[in-house]
Amino acid sequence: MSIRIGIFGYGNLGRGVECAIKQNKDLELVGVFTRRDPATVKILTDGVGVYHVDEAKDMADKIDVMILCGGSATDLPVQTPELAKYFNVVDSFDTHAKIPEHFANVDVAAKASGKVGIISVGWDPGMFSLNRLYASAVLVDGESYTFWGKGVSQGHSDAIRRIDGVVDARQYTIPVDAALEAVRSGSNPALTTREKHTRECFVVAEDGADKARIENEIKTMPNYFADYNTTVHFISMEELKRDHSGIPHGGFVIRSGKTGANLENNHIIEYSLKLDSNPEFTASVIVAYARAAYRLSLEGASGCKTVFDISPSYLSHKSGDELRREML
Amino acid sequence: MSIRIGIFGYGNLGRGVECAIKQNKDLELVGVFTRRDPATVKILTDGVGVYHVDEAKDMADKIDVMILCGGSATDLPVQTPELAKYFNVVDSFDTHAKIPEHFANVDVAAKASGKVGIISVGWDPGMFSLNRLYASAVLVDGESYTFWGKGVSQGHSDAIRRIDGVVDARQYTIPVDAALEAVRSGSNPALTTREKHTRECFVVAEDGADKARIENEIKTMPNYFADYNTTVHFISMEELKRDHSGIPHGGFVIRSGKTGANLENNHIIEYSLKLDSNPEFTASVIVAYARAAYRLSLEGASGCKTVFDISPSYLSHKSGDELRREML
C-alpha cells in the first residue's frame, strides 16, 4: 500500500514535490491544496484532485502525510502548527533564527493530535545541517564552514527588483575560491562576509533608466549587498530569459579538525551540492522525510522532529537488511 | 557524570580511541584490555589501568561502553558477540560482505543481554555508508560512486611484503582524476576497476634482489594489483621511514541524479574525506557512536544497530535545543 501524500501550496516547491512523488513508487499523490480557485490550477498528475486549502481538514482520513510548500515568512509559521492538528506534516521552514519558536509551536500541536511534524527539511536547513552535526560530532576540535552557491538567491533578486527603474533581475551568490582553498588547507581561517562570497547581479533596466544610480543602489544596499563585493551587469529581457531562467544552487559544508595525542593530525570533511534546480532538490529531500514521518507515525511517535532526530534508515524505501547488504 | 569507556585491543585504532576520548569531555577512559602481558603495555592516559582481556567481563559494572579495536578477519566476529553479553559495544567491522552475518550474531547476543551493539562504525563502512544512503534516498534516479584515496592500503602493503626479496612496502590507492571528473559531470559513466583507481607502491628490496621480478610479481598479483594500473618505486628503508610513515587516507562518495517532470535537471551530491590519520579519524567516529550506544541503552534499547539506525542527534554532546539553535 502506498503512502498517501497531500501537497499544501502549489508553487515551484509544490510542483517539485509533485515530480518527486512520481519518482518514488511507494508514495502516492492524493490531492493538491491551493489558496487560488482550484478550477484555475492545472497540475501535472492525471486523476488527482485540486482542492481549496479550506477543504484540507475534511480529508484527514485520506492523507497520511501533508507536505507544506508555502513560504517561511508568513505561511509556514501559521500553517504547519494548524495542519499538524489533522495530519503528519513536513515543511521546509528556513528562517534559521526562528526555528526554535517554530519547533515549539509545531511540537505542541503535534503532541496534542498524536501526529508527527518534521520541520526545516531541505538542504539548508536540511542536508547541510546534518553534515554540520555529523562533522562536528566526529571532529570535536575544529571549525565548520558553510558556503553557498553558485546559485540564485530569490531574496536578493527580489530586493533588486524593488529598485526604481528595474524591470527584472537575477542575483547569483558565488563562493570565493580562495576562501574555499584556505579552508581546505586546514588553516582554519577567520573569514569575513566579504571574503567568503561575492554577488553577481543581472539586471534588466527600464528604457532610459539611470544605470549608474541603479548600480550604486544595489551595491550599497544594507544587509543585502553592502558587505559583499558585488558585480552588476545590465542585460536585455531576452538575455535574462535565455541565460538566467534556471534556479540552480548548491554550496559546501566543510569541517577541518585535528586529532592525535598532540592534535598533530588534520582532517577535512567536505560535503557539497551542485543543483540544477533548487526547488526540485529541496522537494526530493522533503519527500524522503515524508516517508520517515509516516513510518514514525506508524510506530506511535508524535511531536515535532527535525532531520537531527530521524534515523537515516527511515528515509529509504529499502529494508534494514537490504540497506546493510547494499550500502553499508 | 561521564560515560565510562573501555578499549578492547590496543593497536593503532585503540590508541586513536584513547586520544579521541581525551577530546570529548563527557567521556572517560576506565580501562584498556590487551591480549599481551598488561605490564608490558604503556598507554597515554595517566591513572588508567591496563588489564588482560580475560579480566574484562569482571568489570561489567564499571564500563558503560566497550569499544572493540581488533581486526575484522578473526577478532571481531568472535569478540563483538561475546562482549555484547556483558557490555554495550561498538566495533568497526569492515568486511562488507560479512556484515549481515556479523549483524545477526551481535543482535542475538545483545538482545539476550539487553545491551546495545553498534557495528561497522568508521568511515567506510560508516560515514561513507551514511552518505550513500542519504544521497540515494534523496536522488532516487541516479548512480552512486565511491572512490578511495589517496591513502595507504594496509592489506595491499602487506601483500607486497609477502613477496620474496621485499623488506618493507607501502601501497597507496589513488582515485583517477578523469573518472572523478566524469562522475561530477553528471554523465553517470560506467567505470571499470582500472578506470577508477591506480595503485602506487613504494618498495624496499633486499640487497641484490631481482627488482624486475618483484615489480612483475606485484603488477600481476591477482585481486590485489592485476586489474589496476600499478606503479612501483624502489626506495631505501630510510626514504620509506622518512616519507611514508603516515597513515593518510580518504576518498569520495558521489551521487549524480535527476529530477523534474521529464528528469531534465541534474544534481550532484559529493562527500569527501581527506585524512592525515586513518585510524585516528576512524576512532573519532567510533567514539561519537559510543556516546550514542550509551544513550540508546539508557532509553532501554537493545540489540544490534548500525549507523543507519541511529538518529544524528545521539552523536553530539549538545542538547536538541542547542543543536537546533546552532546547527540546523
Side-chain angles (χ1 to χ4, degrees), chain A residues 324, chain B residues 81 84-88 103-117 300-305:
Chain A
R324 284 188 291 276
Chain B
K85 295 178 187 170
Y86 308 96
F87 302 96
N88 299 309
F103 182 91
N105 292 337
V106 175
D107 198 45
V108 167
K111 281 194 173 132
S113 64
K115 301 289 181 182
V116 171
S302 70
C304 193
K305 317 271 178 194

mmCIF file with all atom_site columns, all heavy atoms in Angstrom, chain A residues 324, chain B residues 81 84-88 103-117 300-305:
data_model
loop_
_atom_site.group_PDB
_atom_site.id
_atom_site.type_symbol
_atom_site.label_atom_id
_atom_site.label_alt_id
_atom_site.label_comp_id
_atom_site.label_asym_id
_atom_site.label_entity_id
_atom_site.label_seq_id
_atom_site.pdbx_PDB_ins_code
_atom_site.Cartn_x
_atom_site.Cartn_y
_atom_site.Cartn_z
_atom_site.occupancy
_atom_site.B_iso_or_equiv
_atom_site.pdbx_formal_charge
_atom_site.auth_seq_id
_atom_site.auth_comp_id
_atom_site.auth_asym_id
_atom_site.auth_atom_id
_atom_site.pdbx_PDB_model_num
ATOM 1   N N   . ARG A 1 324 ? 21.842 -2.770  4.771  1.00 0.00 ? 324 ARG A N   1
ATOM 2   C CA  . ARG A 1 324 ? 23.122 -3.276  5.290  1.00 0.00 ? 324 ARG A CA  1
ATOM 3   C C   . ARG A 1 324 ? 23.884 -4.018  4.200  1.00 0.00 ? 324 ARG A C   1
ATOM 4   O O   . ARG A 1 324 ? 25.099 -3.909  4.088  1.00 0.00 ? 324 ARG A O   1
ATOM 5   C CB  . ARG A 1 324 ? 22.878 -4.204  6.490  1.00 0.00 ? 324 ARG A CB  1
ATOM 6   C CG  . ARG A 1 324 ? 22.541 -3.446  7.755  1.00 0.00 ? 324 ARG A CG  1
ATOM 7   C CD  . ARG A 1 324 ? 22.497 -4.355  8.966  1.00 0.00 ? 324 ARG A CD  1
ATOM 8   N NE  . ARG A 1 324 ? 21.377 -5.292  8.946  1.00 0.00 ? 324 ARG A NE  1
ATOM 9   C CZ  . ARG A 1 324 ? 20.148 -5.017  9.364  1.00 0.00 ? 324 ARG A CZ  1
ATOM 10  N NH1 . ARG A 1 324 ? 19.851 -3.825  9.837  1.00 0.00 ? 324 ARG A NH1 1
ATOM 11  N NH2 . ARG A 1 324 ? 19.199 -5.928  9.308  1.00 0.00 ? 324 ARG A NH2 1
ATOM 12  N N   . PRO B 1 81  ? 30.213 -10.349 19.478 1.00 0.00 ? 81  PRO B N   1
ATOM 13  C CA  . PRO B 1 81  ? 29.083 -11.063 20.090 1.00 0.00 ? 81  PRO B CA  1
ATOM 14  C C   . PRO B 1 81  ? 29.386 -11.483 21.537 1.00 0.00 ? 81  PRO B C   1
ATOM 15  O O   . PRO B 1 81  ? 28.512 -11.404 22.403 1.00 0.00 ? 81  PRO B O   1
ATOM 16  C CB  . PRO B 1 81  ? 28.902 -12.302 19.201 1.00 0.00 ? 81  PRO B CB  1
ATOM 17  C CG  . PRO B 1 81  ? 29.616 -12.006 17.938 1.00 0.00 ? 81  PRO B CG  1
ATOM 18  C CD  . PRO B 1 81  ? 30.691 -11.022 18.261 1.00 0.00 ? 81  PRO B CD  1
ATOM 19  N N   . ALA B 1 84  ? 29.207 -8.437  23.836 1.00 0.00 ? 84  ALA B N   1
ATOM 20  C CA  . ALA B 1 84  ? 27.847 -7.886  23.899 1.00 0.00 ? 84  ALA B CA  1
ATOM 21  C C   . ALA B 1 84  ? 27.006 -8.598  24.954 1.00 0.00 ? 84  ALA B C   1
ATOM 22  O O   . ALA B 1 84  ? 25.916 -8.146  25.300 1.00 0.00 ? 84  ALA B O   1
ATOM 23  C CB  . ALA B 1 84  ? 27.176 -7.979  22.531 1.00 0.00 ? 84  ALA B CB  1
ATOM 24  N N   . LYS B 1 85  ? 27.515 -9.708  25.482 1.00 0.00 ? 85  LYS B N   1
ATOM 25  C CA  . LYS B 1 85  ? 26.814 -10.371 26.592 1.00 0.00 ? 85  LYS B CA  1
ATOM 26  C C   . LYS B 1 85  ? 26.936 -9.557  27.881 1.00 0.00 ? 85  LYS B C   1
ATOM 27  O O   . LYS B 1 85  ? 26.136 -9.712  28.796 1.00 0.00 ? 85  LYS B O   1
ATOM 28  C CB  . LYS B 1 85  ? 27.406 -11.759 26.840 1.00 0.00 ? 85  LYS B CB  1
ATOM 29  C CG  . LYS B 1 85  ? 27.207 -12.746 25.707 1.00 0.00 ? 85  LYS B CG  1
ATOM 30  C CD  . LYS B 1 85  ? 27.885 -14.072 26.062 1.00 0.00 ? 85  LYS B CD  1
ATOM 31  C CE  . LYS B 1 85  ? 27.855 -15.044 24.893 1.00 0.00 ? 85  LYS B CE  1
ATOM 32  N NZ  . LYS B 1 85  ? 28.712 -16.228 25.168 1.00 0.00 ? 85  LYS B NZ  1
ATOM 33  N N   . TYR B 1 86  ? 27.968 -8.703  27.938 1.00 0.00 ? 86  TYR B N   1
ATOM 34  C CA  . TYR B 1 86  ? 28.264 -8.002  29.187 1.00 0.00 ? 86  TYR B CA  1
ATOM 35  C C   . TYR B 1 86  ? 28.220 -6.479  29.067 1.00 0.00 ? 86  TYR B C   1
ATOM 36  O O   . TYR B 1 86  ? 28.065 -5.784  30.059 1.00 0.00 ? 86  TYR B O   1
ATOM 37  C CB  . TYR B 1 86  ? 29.668 -8.395  29.682 1.00 0.00 ? 86  TYR B CB  1
ATOM 38  C CG  . TYR B 1 86  ? 29.866 -9.888  29.758 1.00 0.00 ? 86  TYR B CG  1
ATOM 39  C CD1 . TYR B 1 86  ? 30.482 -10.572 28.706 1.00 0.00 ? 86  TYR B CD1 1
ATOM 40  C CD2 . TYR B 1 86  ? 29.402 -10.605 30.848 1.00 0.00 ? 86  TYR B CD2 1
ATOM 41  C CE1 . TYR B 1 86  ? 30.640 -11.950 28.757 1.00 0.00 ? 86  TYR B CE1 1
ATOM 42  C CE2 . TYR B 1 86  ? 29.557 -11.985 30.907 1.00 0.00 ? 86  TYR B CE2 1
ATOM 43  C CZ  . TYR B 1 86  ? 30.178 -12.653 29.862 1.00 0.00 ? 86  TYR B CZ  1
ATOM 44  O OH  . TYR B 1 86  ? 30.323 -14.003 29.911 1.00 0.00 ? 86  TYR B OH  1
ATOM 45  N N   . PHE B 1 87  ? 28.433 -5.986  27.853 1.00 0.00 ? 87  PHE B N   1
ATOM 46  C CA  . PHE B 1 87  ? 28.618 -4.555  27.667 1.00 0.00 ? 87  PHE B CA  1
ATOM 47  C C   . PHE B 1 87  ? 27.801 -4.033  26.480 1.00 0.00 ? 87  PHE B C   1
ATOM 48  O O   . PHE B 1 87  ? 27.534 -4.782  25.531 1.00 0.00 ? 87  PHE B O   1
ATOM 49  C CB  . PHE B 1 87  ? 30.087 -4.231  27.329 1.00 0.00 ? 87  PHE B CB  1
ATOM 50  C CG  . PHE B 1 87  ? 31.082 -4.682  28.345 1.00 0.00 ? 87  PHE B CG  1
ATOM 51  C CD1 . PHE B 1 87  ? 31.744 -5.892  28.194 1.00 0.00 ? 87  PHE B CD1 1
ATOM 52  C CD2 . PHE B 1 87  ? 31.366 -3.887  29.453 1.00 0.00 ? 87  PHE B CD2 1
ATOM 53  C CE1 . PHE B 1 87  ? 32.677 -6.309  29.136 1.00 0.00 ? 87  PHE B CE1 1
ATOM 54  C CE2 . PHE B 1 87  ? 32.299 -4.303  30.393 1.00 0.00 ? 87  PHE B CE2 1
ATOM 55  C CZ  . PHE B 1 87  ? 32.955 -5.518  30.235 1.00 0.00 ? 87  PHE B CZ  1
ATOM 56  N N   . ASN B 1 88  ? 27.492 -2.733  26.500 1.00 0.00 ? 88  ASN B N   1
ATOM 57  C CA  . ASN B 1 88  ? 27.196 -2.051  25.251 1.00 0.00 ? 88  ASN B CA  1
ATOM 58  C C   . ASN B 1 88  ? 28.512 -2.015  24.482 1.00 0.00 ? 88  ASN B C   1
ATOM 59  O O   . ASN B 1 88  ? 29.563 -1.717  25.058 1.00 0.00 ? 88  ASN B O   1
ATOM 60  C CB  . ASN B 1 88  ? 26.718 -0.620  25.504 1.00 0.00 ? 88  ASN B CB  1
ATOM 61  C CG  . ASN B 1 88  ? 25.442 -0.587  26.321 1.00 0.00 ? 88  ASN B CG  1
ATOM 62  O OD1 . ASN B 1 88  ? 24.468 -1.260  26.000 1.00 0.00 ? 88  ASN B OD1 1
ATOM 63  N ND2 . ASN B 1 88  ? 25.444 0.203   27.400 1.00 0.00 ? 88  ASN B ND2 1
ATOM 64  N N   . PHE B 1 103 ? 26.081 -8.851  11.900 1.00 0.00 ? 103 PHE B N   1
ATOM 65  C CA  . PHE B 1 103 ? 24.931 -8.163  12.487 1.00 0.00 ? 103 PHE B CA  1
ATOM 66  C C   . PHE B 1 103 ? 24.026 -9.158  13.220 1.00 0.00 ? 103 PHE B C   1
ATOM 67  O O   . PHE B 1 103 ? 23.625 -8.932  14.369 1.00 0.00 ? 103 PHE B O   1
ATOM 68  C CB  . PHE B 1 103 ? 24.140 -7.442  11.385 1.00 0.00 ? 103 PHE B CB  1
ATOM 69  C CG  . PHE B 1 103 ? 22.957 -6.659  11.885 1.00 0.00 ? 103 PHE B CG  1
ATOM 70  C CD1 . PHE B 1 103 ? 23.084 -5.320  12.232 1.00 0.00 ? 103 PHE B CD1 1
ATOM 71  C CD2 . PHE B 1 103 ? 21.717 -7.258  12.016 1.00 0.00 ? 103 PHE B CD2 1
ATOM 72  C CE1 . PHE B 1 103 ? 21.997 -4.594  12.700 1.00 0.00 ? 103 PHE B CE1 1
ATOM 73  C CE2 . PHE B 1 103 ? 20.623 -6.540  12.487 1.00 0.00 ? 103 PHE B CE2 1
ATOM 74  C CZ  . PHE B 1 103 ? 20.768 -5.204  12.821 1.00 0.00 ? 103 PHE B CZ  1
ATOM 75  N N   . ALA B 1 104 ? 23.737 -10.269 12.563 1.00 0.00 ? 104 ALA B N   1
ATOM 76  C CA  . ALA B 1 104 ? 22.834 -11.262 13.154 1.00 0.00 ? 104 ALA B CA  1
ATOM 77  C C   . ALA B 1 104 ? 23.417 -11.831 14.446 1.00 0.00 ? 104 ALA B C   1
ATOM 78  O O   . ALA B 1 104 ? 22.707 -11.986 15.449 1.00 0.00 ? 104 ALA B O   1
ATOM 79  C CB  . ALA B 1 104 ? 22.562 -12.382 12.144 1.00 0.00 ? 104 ALA B CB  1
ATOM 80  N N   . ASN B 1 105 ? 24.710 -12.105 14.449 1.00 0.00 ? 105 ASN B N   1
ATOM 81  C CA  . ASN B 1 105 ? 25.344 -12.674 15.641 1.00 0.00 ? 105 ASN B CA  1
ATOM 82  C C   . ASN B 1 105 ? 25.339 -11.695 16.812 1.00 0.00 ? 105 ASN B C   1
ATOM 83  O O   . ASN B 1 105 ? 25.060 -12.068 17.948 1.00 0.00 ? 105 ASN B O   1
ATOM 84  C CB  . ASN B 1 105 ? 26.792 -13.079 15.335 1.00 0.00 ? 105 ASN B CB  1
ATOM 85  C CG  . ASN B 1 105 ? 26.860 -14.246 14.375 1.00 0.00 ? 105 ASN B CG  1
ATOM 86  O OD1 . ASN B 1 105 ? 25.900 -15.018 14.248 1.00 0.00 ? 105 ASN B OD1 1
ATOM 87  N ND2 . ASN B 1 105 ? 27.978 -14.381 13.681 1.00 0.00 ? 105 ASN B ND2 1
ATOM 88  N N   . VAL B 1 106 ? 25.665 -10.444 16.508 1.00 0.00 ? 106 VAL B N   1
ATOM 89  C CA  . VAL B 1 106 ? 25.688 -9.436  17.575 1.00 0.00 ? 106 VAL B CA  1
ATOM 90  C C   . VAL B 1 106 ? 24.273 -9.157  18.061 1.00 0.00 ? 106 VAL B C   1
ATOM 91  O O   . VAL B 1 106 ? 24.034 -8.950  19.253 1.00 0.00 ? 106 VAL B O   1
ATOM 92  C CB  . VAL B 1 106 ? 26.384 -8.145  17.092 1.00 0.00 ? 106 VAL B CB  1
ATOM 93  C CG1 . VAL B 1 106 ? 26.313 -7.045  18.154 1.00 0.00 ? 106 VAL B CG1 1
ATOM 94  C CG2 . VAL B 1 106 ? 27.844 -8.428  16.722 1.00 0.00 ? 106 VAL B CG2 1
ATOM 95  N N   . ASP B 1 107 ? 23.326 -9.194  17.146 1.00 0.00 ? 107 ASP B N   1
ATOM 96  C CA  . ASP B 1 107 ? 21.937 -8.905  17.514 1.00 0.00 ? 107 ASP B CA  1
ATOM 97  C C   . ASP B 1 107 ? 21.405 -9.932  18.513 1.00 0.00 ? 107 ASP B C   1
ATOM 98  O O   . ASP B 1 107 ? 20.770 -9.572  19.509 1.00 0.00 ? 107 ASP B O   1
ATOM 99  C CB  . ASP B 1 107 ? 21.069 -8.881  16.255 1.00 0.00 ? 107 ASP B CB  1
ATOM 100 C CG  . ASP B 1 107 ? 19.733 -8.187  16.474 1.00 0.00 ? 107 ASP B CG  1
ATOM 101 O OD1 . ASP B 1 107 ? 19.730 -7.099  17.090 1.00 0.00 ? 107 ASP B OD1 1
ATOM 102 O OD2 . ASP B 1 107 ? 18.702 -8.739  16.052 1.00 0.00 ? 107 ASP B OD2 1
ATOM 103 N N   . VAL B 1 108 ? 21.678 -11.191 18.251 1.00 0.00 ? 108 VAL B N   1
ATOM 104 C CA  . VAL B 1 108 ? 21.228 -12.254 19.160 1.00 0.00 ? 108 VAL B CA  1
ATOM 105 C C   . VAL B 1 108 ? 21.820 -12.035 20.555 1.00 0.00 ? 108 VAL B C   1
ATOM 106 O O   . VAL B 1 108 ? 21.108 -12.051 21.563 1.00 0.00 ? 108 VAL B O   1
ATOM 107 C CB  . VAL B 1 108 ? 21.619 -13.647 18.613 1.00 0.00 ? 108 VAL B CB  1
ATOM 108 C CG1 . VAL B 1 108 ? 21.439 -14.720 19.686 1.00 0.00 ? 108 VAL B CG1 1
ATOM 109 C CG2 . VAL B 1 108 ? 20.792 -13.975 17.378 1.00 0.00 ? 108 VAL B CG2 1
ATOM 110 N N   . ALA B 1 109 ? 23.130 -11.804 20.585 1.00 0.00 ? 109 ALA B N   1
ATOM 111 C CA  . ALA B 1 109 ? 23.808 -11.653 21.882 1.00 0.00 ? 109 ALA B CA  1
ATOM 112 C C   . ALA B 1 109 ? 23.313 -10.418 22.628 1.00 0.00 ? 109 ALA B C   1
ATOM 113 O O   . ALA B 1 109 ? 23.042 -10.463 23.834 1.00 0.00 ? 109 ALA B O   1
ATOM 114 C CB  . ALA B 1 109 ? 25.319 -11.569 21.664 1.00 0.00 ? 109 ALA B CB  1
ATOM 115 N N   . ALA B 1 110 ? 23.182 -9.302  21.904 1.00 0.00 ? 110 ALA B N   1
ATOM 116 C CA  . ALA B 1 110 ? 22.821 -8.039  22.562 1.00 0.00 ? 110 ALA B CA  1
ATOM 117 C C   . ALA B 1 110 ? 21.353 -8.037  22.990 1.00 0.00 ? 110 ALA B C   1
ATOM 118 O O   . ALA B 1 110 ? 20.999 -7.448  24.013 1.00 0.00 ? 110 ALA B O   1
ATOM 119 C CB  . ALA B 1 110 ? 23.122 -6.860  21.639 1.00 0.00 ? 110 ALA B CB  1
ATOM 120 N N   . LYS B 1 111 ? 20.508 -8.704  22.233 1.00 0.00 ? 111 LYS B N   1
ATOM 121 C CA  . LYS B 1 111 ? 19.104 -8.781  22.662 1.00 0.00 ? 111 LYS B CA  1
ATOM 122 C C   . LYS B 1 111 ? 18.981 -9.639  23.920 1.00 0.00 ? 111 LYS B C   1
ATOM 123 O O   . LYS B 1 111 ? 18.217 -9.325  24.826 1.00 0.00 ? 111 LYS B O   1
ATOM 124 C CB  . LYS B 1 111 ? 18.228 -9.322  21.540 1.00 0.00 ? 111 LYS B CB  1
ATOM 125 C CG  . LYS B 1 111 ? 17.907 -8.242  20.516 1.00 0.00 ? 111 LYS B CG  1
ATOM 126 C CD  . LYS B 1 111 ? 16.783 -8.613  19.581 1.00 0.00 ? 111 LYS B CD  1
ATOM 127 C CE  . LYS B 1 111 ? 16.399 -7.434  18.693 1.00 0.00 ? 111 LYS B CE  1
ATOM 128 N NZ  . LYS B 1 111 ? 16.285 -7.818  17.279 1.00 0.00 ? 111 LYS B NZ  1
ATOM 129 N N   . ALA B 1 112 ? 19.757 -10.712 23.961 1.00 0.00 ? 112 ALA B N   1
ATOM 130 C CA  . ALA B 1 112 ? 19.698 -11.594 25.129 1.00 0.00 ? 112 ALA B CA  1
ATOM 131 C C   . ALA B 1 112 ? 20.181 -10.879 26.391 1.00 0.00 ? 112 ALA B C   1
ATOM 132 O O   . ALA B 1 112 ? 19.641 -11.085 27.480 1.00 0.00 ? 112 ALA B O   1
ATOM 133 C CB  . ALA B 1 112 ? 20.530 -12.852 24.875 1.00 0.00 ? 112 ALA B CB  1
ATOM 134 N N   . SER B 1 113 ? 21.185 -10.027 26.247 1.00 0.00 ? 113 SER B N   1
ATOM 135 C CA  . SER B 1 113 ? 21.752 -9.363  27.423 1.00 0.00 ? 113 SER B CA  1
ATOM 136 C C   . SER B 1 113 ? 21.092 -8.025  27.720 1.00 0.00 ? 113 SER B C   1
ATOM 137 O O   . SER B 1 113 ? 21.344 -7.419  28.753 1.00 0.00 ? 113 SER B O   1
ATOM 138 C CB  . SER B 1 113 ? 23.253 -9.134  27.210 1.00 0.00 ? 113 SER B CB  1
ATOM 139 O OG  . SER B 1 113 ? 23.457 -8.236  26.123 1.00 0.00 ? 113 SER B OG  1
ATOM 140 N N   . GLY B 1 114 ? 20.263 -7.546  26.783 1.00 0.00 ? 114 GLY B N   1
ATOM 141 C CA  . GLY B 1 114 ? 19.646 -6.232  26.957 1.00 0.00 ? 114 GLY B CA  1
ATOM 142 C C   . GLY B 1 114 ? 20.618 -5.091  26.709 1.00 0.00 ? 114 GLY B C   1
ATOM 143 O O   . GLY B 1 114 ? 20.403 -3.968  27.169 1.00 0.00 ? 114 GLY B O   1
ATOM 144 N N   . LYS B 1 115 ? 21.698 -5.361  25.957 1.00 0.00 ? 115 LYS B N   1
ATOM 145 C CA  . LYS B 1 115 ? 22.696 -4.339  25.660 1.00 0.00 ? 115 LYS B CA  1
ATOM 146 C C   . LYS B 1 115 ? 22.530 -3.840  24.219 1.00 0.00 ? 115 LYS B C   1
ATOM 147 O O   . LYS B 1 115 ? 21.834 -4.456  23.412 1.00 0.00 ? 115 LYS B O   1
ATOM 148 C CB  . LYS B 1 115 ? 24.111 -4.902  25.829 1.00 0.00 ? 115 LYS B CB  1
ATOM 149 C CG  . LYS B 1 115 ? 24.403 -5.432  27.218 1.00 0.00 ? 115 LYS B CG  1
ATOM 150 C CD  . LYS B 1 115 ? 24.528 -4.295  28.223 1.00 0.00 ? 115 LYS B CD  1
ATOM 151 C CE  . LYS B 1 115 ? 24.853 -4.832  29.613 1.00 0.00 ? 115 LYS B CE  1
ATOM 152 N NZ  . LYS B 1 115 ? 24.927 -3.761  30.609 1.00 0.00 ? 115 LYS B NZ  1
ATOM 153 N N   . VAL B 1 116 ? 23.225 -2.733  23.914 1.00 0.00 ? 116 VAL B N   1
ATOM 154 C CA  . VAL B 1 116 ? 23.235 -2.176  22.560 1.00 0.00 ? 116 VAL B CA  1
ATOM 155 C C   . VAL B 1 116 ? 24.591 -2.457  21.921 1.00 0.00 ? 116 VAL B C   1
ATOM 156 O O   . VAL B 1 116 ? 25.634 -2.227  22.546 1.00 0.00 ? 116 VAL B O   1
ATOM 157 C CB  . VAL B 1 116 ? 23.002 -0.653  22.595 1.00 0.00 ? 116 VAL B CB  1
ATOM 158 C CG1 . VAL B 1 116 ? 23.228 -0.028  21.215 1.00 0.00 ? 116 VAL B CG1 1
ATOM 159 C CG2 . VAL B 1 116 ? 21.598 -0.344  23.095 1.00 0.00 ? 116 VAL B CG2 1
ATOM 160 N N   . GLY B 1 117 ? 24.575 -2.978  20.705 1.00 0.00 ? 117 GLY B N   1
ATOM 161 C CA  . GLY B 1 117 ? 25.806 -3.162  19.944 1.00 0.00 ? 117 GLY B CA  1
ATOM 162 C C   . GLY B 1 117 ? 25.730 -2.368  18.659 1.00 0.00 ? 117 GLY B C   1
ATOM 163 O O   . GLY B 1 117 ? 24.763 -2.507  17.905 1.00 0.00 ? 117 GLY B O   1
ATOM 164 N N   . GLY B 1 300 ? 16.603 2.210   27.090 1.00 0.00 ? 300 GLY B N   1
ATOM 165 C CA  . GLY B 1 300 ? 16.041 0.864   27.117 1.00 0.00 ? 300 GLY B CA  1
ATOM 166 C C   . GLY B 1 300 ? 16.176 0.084   25.825 1.00 0.00 ? 300 GLY B C   1
ATOM 167 O O   . GLY B 1 300 ? 15.632 -1.013  25.693 1.00 0.00 ? 300 GLY B O   1
ATOM 168 N N   . ALA B 1 301 ? 16.904 0.645   24.849 1.00 0.00 ? 301 ALA B N   1
ATOM 169 C CA  . ALA B 1 301 ? 17.094 -0.073  23.587 1.00 0.00 ? 301 ALA B CA  1
ATOM 170 C C   . ALA B 1 301 ? 18.037 -1.255  23.793 1.00 0.00 ? 301 ALA B C   1
ATOM 171 O O   . ALA B 1 301 ? 18.860 -1.263  24.717 1.00 0.00 ? 301 ALA B O   1
ATOM 172 C CB  . ALA B 1 301 ? 17.672 0.864   22.541 1.00 0.00 ? 301 ALA B CB  1
ATOM 173 N N   . SER B 1 302 ? 17.907 -2.261  22.928 1.00 0.00 ? 302 SER B N   1
ATOM 174 C CA  . SER B 1 302 ? 18.871 -3.358  22.936 1.00 0.00 ? 302 SER B CA  1
ATOM 175 C C   . SER B 1 302 ? 18.946 -3.955  21.549 1.00 0.00 ? 302 SER B C   1
ATOM 176 O O   . SER B 1 302 ? 18.099 -3.699  20.703 1.00 0.00 ? 302 SER B O   1
ATOM 177 C CB  . SER B 1 302 ? 18.483 -4.422  23.958 1.00 0.00 ? 302 SER B CB  1
ATOM 178 O OG  . SER B 1 302 ? 17.324 -5.105  23.527 1.00 0.00 ? 302 SER B OG  1
ATOM 179 N N   . GLY B 1 303 ? 19.998 -4.742  21.304 1.00 0.00 ? 303 GLY B N   1
ATOM 180 C CA  . GLY B 1 303 ? 20.175 -5.382  20.007 1.00 0.00 ? 303 GLY B CA  1
ATOM 181 C C   . GLY B 1 303 ? 21.225 -4.687  19.175 1.00 0.00 ? 303 GLY B C   1
ATOM 182 O O   . GLY B 1 303 ? 21.846 -3.708  19.606 1.00 0.00 ? 303 GLY B O   1
ATOM 183 N N   . CYS B 1 304 ? 21.418 -5.210  17.964 1.00 0.00 ? 304 CYS B N   1
ATOM 184 C CA  . CYS B 1 304 ? 22.453 -4.679  17.086 1.00 0.00 ? 304 CYS B CA  1
ATOM 185 C C   . CYS B 1 304 ? 21.936 -3.521  16.241 1.00 0.00 ? 304 CYS B C   1
ATOM 186 O O   . CYS B 1 304 ? 20.808 -3.552  15.748 1.00 0.00 ? 304 CYS B O   1
ATOM 187 C CB  . CYS B 1 304 ? 22.995 -5.786  16.183 1.00 0.00 ? 304 CYS B CB  1
ATOM 188 S SG  . CYS B 1 304 ? 24.517 -5.308  15.330 1.00 0.00 ? 304 CYS B SG  1
ATOM 189 N N   . LYS B 1 305 ? 22.758 -2.500  16.100 1.00 0.00 ? 305 LYS B N   1
ATOM 190 C CA  . LYS B 1 305 ? 22.440 -1.325  15.287 1.00 0.00 ? 305 LYS B CA  1
ATOM 191 C C   . LYS B 1 305 ? 23.621 -1.040  14.367 1.00 0.00 ? 305 LYS B C   1
ATOM 192 O O   . LYS B 1 305 ? 24.746 -1.471  14.633 1.00 0.00 ? 305 LYS B O   1
ATOM 193 C CB  . LYS B 1 305 ? 22.256 -0.077  16.174 1.00 0.00 ? 305 LYS B CB  1
ATOM 194 C CG  . LYS B 1 305 ? 21.465 -0.291  17.440 1.00 0.00 ? 305 LYS B CG  1
ATOM 195 C CD  . LYS B 1 305 ? 20.008 -0.084  17.200 1.00 0.00 ? 305 LYS B CD  1
ATOM 196 C CE  . LYS B 1 305 ? 19.204 -0.344  18.468 1.00 0.00 ? 305 LYS B CE  1
ATOM 197 N NZ  . LYS B 1 305 ? 17.769 -0.464  18.176 1.00 0.00 ? 305 LYS B NZ  1
#
